């Protein structure tokens, strides 16, 4: 039997066909426009059955005993215990002392809405996602510029700019599209401090100094304006603040600043000319801009290039999405007016989108450890592994151990779950039907279909939340007996149903794709135009224009701490074989990548007597880790690249033991765990 569904082993949400024999998942293939032998393979999907049937899967609910061991329990026992402890906590400390912390795994679609609905109905404003270190921090910057996060139209583009993204490892459908575009002659510009596969195939690769993307974008804007390489008609009619932007960019002449970005002015100029003078051009921005202290203004400056070049919302440019008309089911209106979330200090980030909710995740740790702005005593962690993936692991681990009550909903016994009082075993993505946000974003709805029955005694996330809600007296809020009912309710305004989606596995388009929609409805900003200068930001005490003060220095964690930490540590890159902290115990995936590696340029390795294979200790002001060294020309001298995600299986290689959560972006609360100062030494010396 074969089942059309969506893979959720990572956030790419690829449409796939799953093959089932006698109720068992045996294989899965990604659907692609390319011939199968030409499509980029995904090792995680190839290992899907090994992941699903891994002997390490959690099989039953577990409850911690007085002697600290875990005892298997029935769902009734476990959920009754969770419900009674949450009610006790609410009684004693108020509902807001209960928080829900979400990782990326169970999706940002309906499962995110269910968690928000649950918390809002319970009375706590604290349902918090991890978007401050992921793409939501970029999304707000797009939003403040032209009202929505754009989608690059790779297939029809003459020039593709890849800015801090590595689709070859993180998004195979996009990678296929880039390769296809390249084959038909599209030009490629890559901005990345690392020589990735995409950088190697680029026409122009700007090997930027980590975390200096904002000034680079400003230099490109400066040149476009000075050379007249911008769409003057669009700018005159559809933008505000052009003159303010022009003045700000005067600080960022390519000739003056190139050296500080580790670039050549001529390369910046060539990239700008290619981008600006291509008939159509799109920009794919990525996680290289996230987790940076300057994420907001850097992304804003990049976003402004799209508007200046006239590529906004046109074929081959960057599409303003047409969201599917879905019901907002989060029940935010249930919260008392006086309540405020632990993320209170980031009001713009909290409110920029009608259903993104809260994402300044570091605030949860502040609340647990420091009672700031008030104490969180009980925490539910769903589909995330904060002990490894959140910034400054020592601080996070201290917080997890200090909680009165911790519930973890996961497939595996993670480092986070080890702190839990109750562990609830979730079903994998192949064991449940789900509505993903990726398919609510832009007109085409594709359903993630259940492929096999839930394994062991696991439950899908939706069922765990609905059942827990009902135990807390929220029967009216969770009336649905199956997920199909819930999805149909949410999709009702669009007219799309689960039954229809199952009939049309390629998806249902809720609206036909339109370009230049702004000519009819404007942009979703207060002025209805693209805002080079934002009055909203000014009113909130921030600079209306990005980088108006001409700043260039110190956007890296621990910068300015002297010679003790001379190297810039780059977090990443992601590997095709793993999703963050996941799958490092799956033998088939481990075969391809056996251990955590740090890349060091030979110029840095030589004087320290380092050769490939040596054990290298990396130290930052927060901690130390040890990884296997590899000399590499893929990075510049002065930078090292540290493998991501190994902290789950190798705690001594946990990258976030090095990162800093003190300094954060003032708008998004984003710490700088993508780039930070550190030092290295060869062990055994
Ligand atoms: N230094 C540094 N820090 C980073 C990053 C980095 O590159 N460098 N990346 C950041 C980014 S972009 C992100 S998104 C975060 C990721 O942070 P997390 O979301 O915490 O990352 P994962 O390790 O993928 O953890 C997901 C957990 O969910 C479980 N899981 C999988 N599927 C399901 C499911 O269907 N239901 C439930 N309940 N659980 C499930 C998995 O077993 C796993 O334990 O990390 C961030 N932190
Ligand atoms: N296989 C796999 N796929 C995944 C994931 C996974 O863990 N594994 N995670 C999923 C998630 S949650 C996310 S957020 C996406 C992220 O997907 P991507 O956005 O592709 O993220 P990364 O590969 O972490 O980083 C992208 C590139 O940014 C570069 N970079 C680092 N520092 C800088 C900088 O200062 N400036 C610039 N311009 N570039 C920089 C890195 O070298 C890297 O090549 O991937 C998703 N897909
Ligand atoms: S990239 Fe691979 S693991 Fe991620 S969703 Fe697509 S097929 Fe699944
Ligand atoms: Mo992410």
């Amino acid at each position: 039997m074969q089942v059309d569904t969506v893979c959720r082993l990572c956030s790419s949400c690829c449409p796939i066909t799953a093959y089932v024999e006698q109720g068992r998942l045996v294989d899965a293939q990604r659907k692609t426009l390319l011939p199968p032998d030409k499509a980029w393979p995904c090792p995680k999907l190839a290992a899907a059955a090994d992941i699903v049937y891994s002997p390490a899967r959690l099989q039953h609910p577990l409850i911690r005993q007085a002697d600290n061991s875990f005892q298997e329990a029935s769902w009734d026992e476990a959920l009754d215990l969770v419900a009674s402890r949450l009610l006790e906590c609410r009684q004693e400390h108020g509902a807001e002392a209960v928080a829900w912390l979400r990782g990326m795994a169970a999706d940002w679609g309906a499962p995110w809405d269910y968690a928000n609905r649950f918390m809002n109905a319970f009375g706590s404003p604290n349902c918090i996602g991890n978007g401050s270190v992921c793409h939501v921090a970029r999304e707000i910057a797009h939003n403040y510029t032209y009202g929505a996060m754009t989608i690059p139209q790779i297939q029809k583009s003459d020039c593709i700019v890849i800015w801090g993204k590595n689709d070859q490892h993180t998004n195979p459908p996009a990678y296929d599209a880039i390769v296809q575009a390249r084959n038909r002659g599209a030009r490629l510009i890559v901005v990345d401090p690392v020589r990735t596969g995409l950088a190697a195939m680029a026409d122009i690769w700007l090997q930027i100094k980590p975390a200096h993307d904002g000034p680079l974008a400003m230099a490109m804007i400066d040149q476009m304006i000075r050379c007249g390489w911008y769409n003057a008609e669009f700018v005159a009619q559809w933008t505000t603040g052009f003159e303010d932007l022009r003045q700000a960019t005067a600080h960022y002449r390519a000739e003056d600043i190139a050296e500080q970005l580790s670039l050549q002015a001529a390369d910046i100029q060539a990239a700008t000319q290619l981008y600006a003078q291509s008939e159509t051009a799109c920009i794919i921005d990525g996680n290289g801009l996230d987790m940076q202290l300057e994420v907001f203004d850097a992304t804003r400056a990049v976003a402004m290039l799209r508007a200046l070049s006239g590529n906004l919302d046109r074929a081959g440019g960057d599409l303003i999405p047409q969201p599917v008309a879905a019901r907002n089911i989060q029940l935010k209106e249930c919260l008392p007016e006086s309540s405020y979330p632990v993320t209170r200090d980031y009001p713009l980030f909290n409110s920029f989108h009608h259903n993104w909710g809260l994402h300044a995740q570091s605030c949860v740790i502040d609340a647990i450890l420091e009672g700031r702005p008030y104490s969180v005593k009980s925490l539910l962690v769903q589909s995330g592994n904060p002990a490894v993936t959140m910034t400054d692991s020592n601080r996070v681990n201290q917080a997890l151990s200090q909680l009165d009550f911790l519930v973890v909903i996961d497939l595996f016994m993670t480092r986070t779950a080890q702190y839990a009082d109750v562990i609830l075993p979730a079903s994998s993505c192949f064991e449940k039907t789900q509505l993903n946000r990726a398919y609510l974003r832009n007109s085409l709805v594709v359903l993630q279909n259940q492929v096999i029955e839930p394994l062991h005694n696991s439950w899908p996330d939706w069922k765990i939340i609905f059942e827990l809600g009902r135990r807390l007296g929220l029967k009216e809020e969770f009336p649905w007996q199956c997920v199909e009912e819930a999805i149909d309710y949410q999709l009702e305004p669009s007219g799309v149903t689960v039954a229809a989606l199952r009939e049309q596995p390629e998806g249902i388009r809720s609206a036909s794709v339109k370009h230049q929609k702004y000519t009819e409805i404007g942009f979703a900003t207060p002025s209805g135009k693209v805002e080079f200068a934002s009055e909203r930001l000014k009113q909130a005490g921030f600079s209306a224009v990005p980088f108006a003060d001409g700043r260039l220095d110190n956007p890296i964690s621990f910068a300015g701490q002297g010679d003790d930490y001379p190297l810039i540590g780059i977090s990443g890159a992601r590997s095709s074989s793993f999703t963050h902290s996941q799958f490092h115990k799956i033998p088939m995936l481990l075969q391809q990548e056996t251990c955590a590696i740090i890349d060091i340029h030979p110029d840095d390795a030589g004087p320290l007597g380092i050769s490939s294979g040596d054990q290298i200790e990396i130290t930052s002001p927060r901690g130390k880790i040890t990884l296997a060294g590899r000399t590499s020309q893929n990075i510049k001298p002065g930078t090292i690249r540290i493998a991501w995600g190994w902290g789950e299986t190798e705690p001594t290689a946990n990258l976030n033991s090095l990162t800093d959560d003190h300094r954060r972006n003032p708008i998004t609360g984003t710490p700088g765990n993508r780039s930070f100062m550190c030092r290295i030494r060869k062990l055994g010396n």
Side-chain angles (χ1 to χ4, degrees), residues 373-604:
Y374 50 76
S375 279
V376 159
K377 302 282 187 189
S378 300
L379 185 68
L380 298 104
V381 175
Q382 182 202 7
S383 64
N385 190 6
V388 175
T389 57
M390 271 180 84
T391 315
D392 191 350
S393 298
N394 291 334
R395 197 164 173 267
V396 175
N397 281 274
Q398 201 189 333
L400 293 174
S401 65
Q402 217 165 289
L403 284 161
D404 285 357
F405 187 58
L406 174 63
V407 180
V408 172
I409 308 172
D410 205 295
L411 273 75
F412 294 97
M413 173 58 91
T414 61
R415 297 220 165 255
T416 304
Q418 276 159 14
Y419 290 101
D421 296 286
V422 178
I423 304 176
L424 303 175
S427 307
S428 79
C429 60
F430 302 99
E431 298 154 49
K432 61 190 172 199
T433 292
Q434 188 162 289
L435 183 60
N436 288 280
R437 196 175 185 111
Y439 293 105
L440 289 173
R441 228 184 122 202
N442 185 37
S443 67
L444 180 71
V445 197
V446 184
L447 188 68
Q448 177 184 320
N449 267 309
Q450 182 174 339
V451 176
I452 51 171
E453 289 301 312
L455 286 186
H456 315 296
N457 195 10
S458 72
W459 279 10
D461 291 87
W462 63 264
K463 187 171 172 185
I464 297 173
I465 297 176
F466 293 5
E467 286 294 331
L468 188 57
R470 292 197 272 260
R471 274 179 170 75
L472 286 162
L474 306 173
K475 290 198 174 69
E476 270 176 36
E477 289 79 359
F478 293 99
W480 310 296
Q481 295 309 310
C482 60
V483 74
E484 286 80 358
E485 280 177 23
I487 295 175
D488 281 349
Y489 175 74
Q490 194 168 2
L491 282 181
E492 204 172 32
S494 70
V496 178
T497 62
V498 171
L501 287 166
R502 288 193 170 137
E503 293 277 300
Q504 281 173 258
E506 70 288 358
I508 296 177
R509 213 166 256 295
S510 64
S512 56
V513 177
K514 267 194 183 168
H515 293 108
Q516 291 173 311
K517 298 176 283 294
Y518 55 84
T519 56
E520 287 164 26
I521 52 171
F523 291 96
T525 55
S527 62
K529 297 186 173 184
V530 176
E531 301 197 337
F532 292 138
S534 163
E535 195 53 36
R536 255 188 306 178
L537 288 171
K538 197 168 153 198
Q539 304 255 315
F542 300 103
S543 169
V545 173
F547 301 99
D549 59 2
R551 66 188 182 279
L552 267 179
D553 54 342
N554 273 6
I556 299 183
S557 294
F558 312 125
Q561 302 218 1
D563 297 339
D564 276 357
Y565 304 102
L567 297 171
I568 302 177
I570 305 174
S571 165
R574 279 153 184 43
S575 141
S576 290
S577 299
F578 310 115
T579 301
H580 307 295
S581 74
Q582 301 183 65
F583 315 140
H584 293 82
K585 283 184 192 145
I586 304 296
M588 180 172 163
L589 294 172
L590 268 176
Q591 270 168 17
Q592 298 168 35
E593 226 169 299
T594 53
C595 69
I597 285 174
I598 162 182
D599 285 318
I600 309 166
H601 194 275
D603 290 0
D604 295 319

